[in-house]
Amino acid sequence: MNFDYTPEQVELRKTVREFAQAEIAPQVMEWDEAQTFPLEVIRKIGELGYMGTIFPEELGGAGLGYIDYSIVIEELARVDPSVGLIVAAHTSLAANHIYSMGSEEQRRRYLPRLARGEWIGCWSLTEPEAGSDAAGTRSTALRQGDSWVLNGSKTFTTNAHHADVCVAMAVTDRGAAQHGISAFIIDKDTPGFRLGRKENKLGMRASATGEVIFENCRLAGSQLLGRQGEGFVDSLKVLDGGRISIAALAVGTAQGAYDEALKYSKQRKQFGRFISEFQAIQFKLADMAAGIEAARLLTYHAGWMKDRNQRVTKEAAIAKLFASEVAVRVAGEAVQILGGYGFIKDYRVEKFYRDVKLCTIGEGTSEIQRLVIARQLLK
Ligand SMILES: Cc1cc2nc3c(=O)[nH]c(=O)nc-3n(C[C@H](O)[C@H](O)[C@H](O)COP(=O)(O)OP(=O)(O)OC[C@H]3O[C@@H](n4cnc5c(N)ncnc54)[C@H](O)[C@@H]3O)c2cc1C
């Protein structure tokens, strides 16, 4: 085993950290208040190569692996979790579905522009009636000659309102249950494709989450992604990789909250002493640090396996479950350490506390992660 970062990974962390401090930090609260999607910054992240970290260079990507990708998401989330979420949904859900299941032609058509951040991707699985039970998808795709005609709607799609390309799942054979759902690539200008409501959220407010609607949306046969009927099964494989990014998002968010709490504890005096001198505060900091370190190791372990093309269903679910639950606790303790100031928007922990909750919900709730893990243990 080797726990060292490569010199390139050390450099990568430094570069993303500096970028996030310079380009993201000054605007975080403004974006949050106004629910502004930070398009300009996303384009710059694309120019740096981080909208396609995990894809090969010949397809416009950075040619790196899931540990590197985790470092990128972590460092973005440490400053603004919304930016981490935008990049994660774009990369490991939308673009990776095309990269992993797409034909050579689809890869060449979509990947380079997605990987360079010239196009933004979104990935629509969830529907109003099909959340955790995603196999309960109701949107349909009917074959008509050489075309597919999609009808239905998707909810809670990250990036929907800013996406150039949407990957969506729809039922192609109701009788075939889980093997009757297919994936499609939809260009934003396709007639019959439109955006519905944009959600007003508790946290992750700079990342747009919204509805995607198909009304007799006609697609060429070539827009089918992967094999017909295998879109749901492929989605589960895509989610295995996606969950590593949500674990990294949770680690970065927790780290951001912890850093603020540590700094504050060394500046705030009560009863004539810095609050960091109270054992109650020290124990909180120790538990926070221990949780973050363990979560980071689980995340990198799942990433390390993924880079070796090993199946990570269990490991990614464990990392996502553990990291997200640790992160929720860490953000809560960070607010507690700041006392009343933790409740005030002038201090960053207030926002981490709101943002972090998404990590136990998106890409499968904690309850669903436990089901996934248990299924793997018992099979
Ligand atoms: C900000 C945000 C961004 C998102 N981005 C995307 C995206 O880009 N693409 C996308 O497709 N989806 C996205 N989602 C959707 C997300 O993946 C779902 O919200 C999530 O999977 C849960 O589905 P649900 O909200 O319908 O909850 P439900 O499935 O209705 O769950 C409600 C509760 O019941 C529990 N529950 C359900 N079934 C079981 C069970 N069998 N056993 C035990 N407990 C159970 C759940 O854990 C939860 O606590 C996003 C959601 C949010 C909030």
Side-chain angles (χ1 to χ4, degrees):
M1 295 176 91
N2 180 1
F3 289 100
D4 288 332
Y5 294 111
T6 64
E8 291 78 15
Q9 284 165 343
V10 172
E11 192 54 35
L12 176 69
R13 189 182 292 282
K14 185 167 168 278
T15 309
V16 184
R17 185 170 292 191
E18 286 171 1
F19 172 83
Q21 280 305 338
E23 304 279 342
I24 299 175
Q27 304 180 75
V28 169
M29 281 317 285
E30 199 184 308
W31 295 337
D32 181 71
E33 296 270 317
Q35 299 205 80
T36 306
F37 185 89
L39 186 58
E40 230 176 85
V41 157
I42 294 299
R43 297 279 187 241
K44 286 186 188 166
I45 292 173
E47 283 162 23
L48 288 171
Y50 307 141
M51 292 296 274
T53 312
I54 49 177
F55 307 116
E57 289 177 49
E58 65 267 23
L59 288 171
L64 300 173
Y66 270 77
I67 294 182
D68 313 283
Y69 175 47
S70 298
I71 291 171
V72 170
I73 298 295
E74 209 183 304
E75 290 301 325
L76 294 174
R78 189 170 160 269
V79 173
D80 189 352
S82 283
V83 176
L85 178 62
I86 293 166
V87 177
H90 163 93
T91 308
S92 41
L93 295 182
N96 192 46
H97 199 145
I98 297 175
Y99 174 65
S100 305
M101 315 298 170
S103 63
E104 202 46 39
E105 195 194 326
Q106 288 169 333
R107 284 176 164 197
R108 300 247 160 243
R109 174 161 150 68
Y110 290 102
L111 250 299
R113 272 177 278 198
L114 286 169
R116 290 196 295 262
E118 294 161 14
W119 280 353
I120 292 173
C122 71
W123 191 81
S124 299
L125 177 63
T126 306
E127 296 188 358
E129 305 300 327
S132 299
D133 180 16
T137 295
R138 294 188 177 180
S139 295
T140 55
L142 272 182
R143 185 101 212 188
Q144 283 189 359
D146 280 347
S147 318
W148 290 97
V149 179
L150 267 64
N151 277 292
S153 71
K154 298 282 176 181
T155 191
F156 294 155
T157 296
T158 300
N159 298 342
H161 287 69
H162 301 273
D164 302 275
V165 180
C166 174
V167 172
M169 276 39 82
V171 175
T172 44
D173 179 357
R174 180 82 56 202
Q178 294 199 355
H179 294 282
I181 296 174
S182 304
F184 296 89
I185 311 175
I186 305 112
D187 297 326
K188 72 168 179 189
D189 297 328
T190 311
F193 174 79
R194 73 175 175 89
L195 300 164
R197 164 197 164 96
K198 184 181 154 194
E199 304 296 346
N200 186 5
K201 308 197 295 291
L202 166 76
M204 299 288 191
R205 287 167 59 83
S207 80
T209 311
E211 213 182 357
V212 163
I213 298 168
F214 307 108
E215 288 166 336
N216 291 323
C217 175
R218 187 174 290 275
L219 301 175
S222 58
Q223 298 307 98
L224 175 74
L225 175 59
R227 283 194 296 143
Q228 185 179 331
E230 294 307 308
F232 177 73
V233 175
D234 287 348
S235 291
L236 298 185
K237 293 179 192 156
V238 169
L239 281 169
D240 283 348
R243 285 172 183 156
I244 298 174
S245 74
I246 301 297
L249 184 69
V251 171
T253 307
Q255 186 71 52
Y258 165 84
D259 290 347
E260 288 296 311
L262 179 69
K263 189 173 75 189
Y264 185 86
S265 73
K266 293 193 278 190
Q267 293 165 351
R268 174 72 172 169
K269 272 189 171 173
Q270 287 294 282
F271 301 96
R273 295 157 74 186
F274 291 112
I275 61 168
S276 60
E277 292 171 34
F278 299 128
Q279 196 179 50
I281 300 293
Q282 292 174 357
F283 279 14
K284 282 190 200 302
L285 290 168
D287 285 345
M288 291 157 81
I292 294 169
E293 204 49 43
R296 184 175 284 120
L297 288 173
L298 284 173
T299 306
Y300 293 169
H301 177 239
W304 179 87
M305 287 178 66
K306 180 95 176 105
D307 288 340
R308 278 152 188 78
N309 290 322
Q310 295 174 25
R311 187 162 175 196
V312 293
T313 304
K314 185 182 76 181
E315 289 74 14
I318 287 177
K320 199 263 187 194
L321 170 67
F322 187 85
S324 63
E325 301 224 325
V326 156
V328 167
R329 281 200 299 278
V330 166
E333 290 292 51
V335 170
Q336 196 67 21
I337 289 173
L338 268 77
Y341 298 94
F343 207 66
I344 304 295
K345 284 184 184 286
D346 294 349
Y347 290 82
R348 293 174 63 213
V349 294
E350 178 270 345
K351 180 171 177 298
F352 286 125
Y353 183 71
R354 287 185 287 109
D355 288 342
V356 75
K357 190 60 197 156
L358 182 270
C359 298
T360 66
I361 296 170
E363 302 202 26
T365 61
S366 288
E367 291 75 18
I368 295 304
Q369 302 313 308
R370 290 188 173 93
L371 285 183
V372 170
I373 297 162
R375 219 173 275 145
Q376 294 298 315
L377 297 178
L378 296 169
K379 90 176 169 183

PDB file of all heavy atoms in Angstrom, residues 15 20-21 131 141 166 193-194 232 275 299 308 326 329 347:
ATOM      1  N   THR A  15      -3.099  23.959  -7.051  1.00  0.00           N
ATOM      2  CA  THR A  15      -3.645  24.761  -8.157  1.00  0.00           C
ATOM      3  C   THR A  15      -5.138  24.997  -7.962  1.00  0.00           C
ATOM      4  O   THR A  15      -5.627  26.123  -8.113  1.00  0.00           O
ATOM      5  CB  THR A  15      -3.427  24.035  -9.513  1.00  0.00           C
ATOM      6  OG1 THR A  15      -2.060  23.660  -9.592  1.00  0.00           O
ATOM      7  CG2 THR A  15      -3.793  24.895 -10.692  1.00  0.00           C
ATOM      8  N   ALA A  20      -9.710  28.339  -6.435  1.00  0.00           N
ATOM      9  CA  ALA A  20     -10.961  28.493  -5.685  1.00  0.00           C
ATOM     10  C   ALA A  20     -10.910  29.729  -4.782  1.00  0.00           C
ATOM     11  O   ALA A  20     -11.890  30.472  -4.676  1.00  0.00           O
ATOM     12  CB  ALA A  20     -11.252  27.235  -4.868  1.00  0.00           C
ATOM     13  N   GLN A  21      -9.754  29.942  -4.160  1.00  0.00           N
ATOM     14  CA  GLN A  21      -9.621  31.120  -3.285  1.00  0.00           C
ATOM     15  C   GLN A  21      -9.736  32.417  -4.074  1.00  0.00           C
ATOM     16  O   GLN A  21     -10.403  33.351  -3.660  1.00  0.00           O
ATOM     17  CB  GLN A  21      -8.259  31.089  -2.549  1.00  0.00           C
ATOM     18  CG  GLN A  21      -8.216  30.189  -1.341  1.00  0.00           C
ATOM     19  CD  GLN A  21      -9.305  30.482  -0.310  1.00  0.00           C
ATOM     20  OE1 GLN A  21      -9.852  31.571  -0.251  1.00  0.00           O
ATOM     21  NE2 GLN A  21      -9.648  29.490   0.501  1.00  0.00           N
ATOM     22  N   GLY A 131     -38.052   8.408  -7.198  1.00  0.00           N
ATOM     23  CA  GLY A 131     -36.855   8.963  -6.577  1.00  0.00           C
ATOM     24  C   GLY A 131     -35.915   7.829  -6.213  1.00  0.00           C
ATOM     25  O   GLY A 131     -35.176   7.317  -7.071  1.00  0.00           O
ATOM     26  N   ALA A 141     -40.245   6.501 -24.026  1.00  0.00           N
ATOM     27  CA  ALA A 141     -39.630   6.744 -25.339  1.00  0.00           C
ATOM     28  C   ALA A 141     -40.200   5.698 -26.295  1.00  0.00           C
ATOM     29  O   ALA A 141     -40.015   4.497 -26.087  1.00  0.00           O
ATOM     30  CB  ALA A 141     -38.120   6.628 -25.250  1.00  0.00           C
ATOM     31  N   CYS A 166     -28.362  16.901 -22.287  1.00  0.00           N
ATOM     32  CA  CYS A 166     -29.005  16.202 -21.168  1.00  0.00           C
ATOM     33  C   CYS A 166     -28.987  14.697 -21.460  1.00  0.00           C
ATOM     34  O   CYS A 166     -29.309  14.276 -22.570  1.00  0.00           O
ATOM     35  CB  CYS A 166     -30.451  16.687 -21.056  1.00  0.00           C
ATOM     36  SG  CYS A 166     -31.451  15.805 -19.849  1.00  0.00           S
ATOM     37  N   PHE A 193     -38.135  19.519 -26.138  1.00  0.00           N
ATOM     38  CA  PHE A 193     -37.352  19.477 -24.890  1.00  0.00           C
ATOM     39  C   PHE A 193     -37.452  20.857 -24.270  1.00  0.00           C
ATOM     40  O   PHE A 193     -37.118  21.851 -24.902  1.00  0.00           O
ATOM     41  CB  PHE A 193     -35.893  19.143 -25.208  1.00  0.00           C
ATOM     42  CG  PHE A 193     -34.970  19.225 -24.001  1.00  0.00           C
ATOM     43  CD1 PHE A 193     -34.926  18.189 -23.084  1.00  0.00           C
ATOM     44  CD2 PHE A 193     -34.170  20.335 -23.791  1.00  0.00           C
ATOM     45  CE1 PHE A 193     -34.084  18.266 -21.973  1.00  0.00           C
ATOM     46  CE2 PHE A 193     -33.324  20.419 -22.680  1.00  0.00           C
ATOM     47  CZ  PHE A 193     -33.288  19.378 -21.773  1.00  0.00           C
ATOM     48  N   ARG A 194     -37.958  20.914 -23.035  1.00  0.00           N
ATOM     49  CA  ARG A 194     -37.981  22.238 -22.398  1.00  0.00           C
ATOM     50  C   ARG A 194     -37.758  22.115 -20.901  1.00  0.00           C
ATOM     51  O   ARG A 194     -37.845  21.018 -20.331  1.00  0.00           O
ATOM     52  CB  ARG A 194     -39.267  22.984 -22.731  1.00  0.00           C
ATOM     53  CG  ARG A 194     -40.497  22.480 -22.049  1.00  0.00           C
ATOM     54  CD  ARG A 194     -41.682  23.412 -22.381  1.00  0.00           C
ATOM     55  NE  ARG A 194     -42.902  22.851 -21.815  1.00  0.00           N
ATOM     56  CZ  ARG A 194     -43.331  23.106 -20.584  1.00  0.00           C
ATOM     57  NH1 ARG A 194     -42.658  23.906 -19.783  1.00  0.00           N
ATOM     58  NH2 ARG A 194     -44.454  22.555 -20.129  1.00  0.00           N
ATOM     59  N   PHE A 232     -31.230   1.738 -17.314  1.00  0.00           N
ATOM     60  CA  PHE A 232     -31.316   1.775 -15.848  1.00  0.00           C
ATOM     61  C   PHE A 232     -30.106   1.061 -15.231  1.00  0.00           C
ATOM     62  O   PHE A 232     -29.466   1.581 -14.309  1.00  0.00           O
ATOM     63  CB  PHE A 232     -32.620   1.119 -15.380  1.00  0.00           C
ATOM     64  CG  PHE A 232     -32.714   1.059 -13.882  1.00  0.00           C
ATOM     65  CD1 PHE A 232     -32.956   2.212 -13.145  1.00  0.00           C
ATOM     66  CD2 PHE A 232     -32.544  -0.140 -13.206  1.00  0.00           C
ATOM     67  CE1 PHE A 232     -33.018   2.169 -11.750  1.00  0.00           C
ATOM     68  CE2 PHE A 232     -32.604  -0.195 -11.819  1.00  0.00           C
ATOM     69  CZ  PHE A 232     -32.839   0.964 -11.087  1.00  0.00           C
ATOM     70  N   ILE A 275     -11.325  29.826  23.326  1.00  0.00           N
ATOM     71  CA  ILE A 275     -12.234  28.678  23.494  1.00  0.00           C
ATOM     72  C   ILE A 275     -11.557  27.368  23.090  1.00  0.00           C
ATOM     73  O   ILE A 275     -11.961  26.300  23.532  1.00  0.00           O
ATOM     74  CB  ILE A 275     -13.589  28.870  22.751  1.00  0.00           C
ATOM     75  CG1 ILE A 275     -13.386  29.027  21.235  1.00  0.00           C
ATOM     76  CG2 ILE A 275     -14.389  30.034  23.344  1.00  0.00           C
ATOM     77  CD1 ILE A 275     -14.682  28.917  20.442  1.00  0.00           C
ATOM     78  N   THR A 299     -12.912   7.581   0.533  1.00  0.00           N
ATOM     79  CA  THR A 299     -13.177   8.153  -0.800  1.00  0.00           C
ATOM     80  C   THR A 299     -12.039   7.800  -1.762  1.00  0.00           C
ATOM     81  O   THR A 299     -12.274   7.330  -2.886  1.00  0.00           O
ATOM     82  CB  THR A 299     -13.331   9.692  -0.691  1.00  0.00           C
ATOM     83  OG1 THR A 299     -14.329   9.970   0.289  1.00  0.00           O
ATOM     84  CG2 THR A 299     -13.712  10.316  -2.017  1.00  0.00           C
ATOM     85  N   ARG A 308      -8.573   1.242 -11.169  1.00  0.00           N
ATOM     86  CA  ARG A 308      -8.096  -0.088 -11.576  1.00  0.00           C
ATOM     87  C   ARG A 308      -9.205  -0.900 -12.226  1.00  0.00           C
ATOM     88  O   ARG A 308      -9.126  -2.124 -12.298  1.00  0.00           O
ATOM     89  CB  ARG A 308      -7.515  -0.826 -10.368  1.00  0.00           C
ATOM     90  CG  ARG A 308      -6.091  -0.393 -10.118  1.00  0.00           C
ATOM     91  CD  ARG A 308      -5.651  -0.506  -8.683  1.00  0.00           C
ATOM     92  NE  ARG A 308      -4.335   0.120  -8.566  1.00  0.00           N
ATOM     93  CZ  ARG A 308      -4.113   1.436  -8.511  1.00  0.00           C
ATOM     94  NH1 ARG A 308      -5.134   2.271  -8.558  1.00  0.00           N
ATOM     95  NH2 ARG A 308      -2.901   1.927  -8.436  1.00  0.00           N
ATOM     96  N   VAL A 326     -20.639  12.012   8.120  1.00  0.00           N
ATOM     97  CA  VAL A 326     -19.585  12.726   8.870  1.00  0.00           C
ATOM     98  C   VAL A 326     -19.690  14.223   8.587  1.00  0.00           C
ATOM     99  O   VAL A 326     -19.633  15.058   9.495  1.00  0.00           O
ATOM    100  CB  VAL A 326     -18.177  12.202   8.475  1.00  0.00           C
ATOM    101  CG1 VAL A 326     -17.101  13.251   8.758  1.00  0.00           C
ATOM    102  CG2 VAL A 326     -17.850  10.909   9.213  1.00  0.00           C
ATOM    103  N   ARG A 329     -22.392  16.021  10.404  1.00  0.00           N
ATOM    104  CA  ARG A 329     -22.031  16.210  11.824  1.00  0.00           C
ATOM    105  C   ARG A 329     -20.979  17.306  11.986  1.00  0.00           C
ATOM    106  O   ARG A 329     -21.065  18.157  12.858  1.00  0.00           O
ATOM    107  CB  ARG A 329     -21.490  14.896  12.419  1.00  0.00           C
ATOM    108  CG  ARG A 329     -22.579  13.899  12.778  1.00  0.00           C
ATOM    109  CD  ARG A 329     -22.071  12.871  13.788  1.00  0.00           C
ATOM    110  NE  ARG A 329     -20.950  12.088  13.300  1.00  0.00           N
ATOM    111  CZ  ARG A 329     -21.062  11.014  12.517  1.00  0.00           C
ATOM    112  NH1 ARG A 329     -22.262  10.613  12.124  1.00  0.00           N
ATOM    113  NH2 ARG A 329     -20.007  10.342  12.136  1.00  0.00           N
ATOM    114  N   TYR A 347     -20.475  34.542   8.562  1.00  0.00           N
ATOM    115  CA  TYR A 347     -19.483  33.471   8.792  1.00  0.00           C
ATOM    116  C   TYR A 347     -19.810  32.285   7.885  1.00  0.00           C
ATOM    117  O   TYR A 347     -20.975  31.912   7.718  1.00  0.00           O
ATOM    118  CB  TYR A 347     -19.488  33.050  10.275  1.00  0.00           C
ATOM    119  CG  TYR A 347     -18.910  34.125  11.155  1.00  0.00           C
ATOM    120  CD1 TYR A 347     -19.691  35.195  11.568  1.00  0.00           C
ATOM    121  CD2 TYR A 347     -17.571  34.102  11.528  1.00  0.00           C
ATOM    122  CE1 TYR A 347     -19.155  36.208  12.349  1.00  0.00           C
ATOM    123  CE2 TYR A 347     -17.030  35.110  12.304  1.00  0.00           C
ATOM    124  CZ  TYR A 347     -17.826  36.170  12.715  1.00  0.00           C
ATOM    125  OH  TYR A 347     -17.286  37.164  13.477  1.00  0.00           O
TER     126      TYR A 347
END
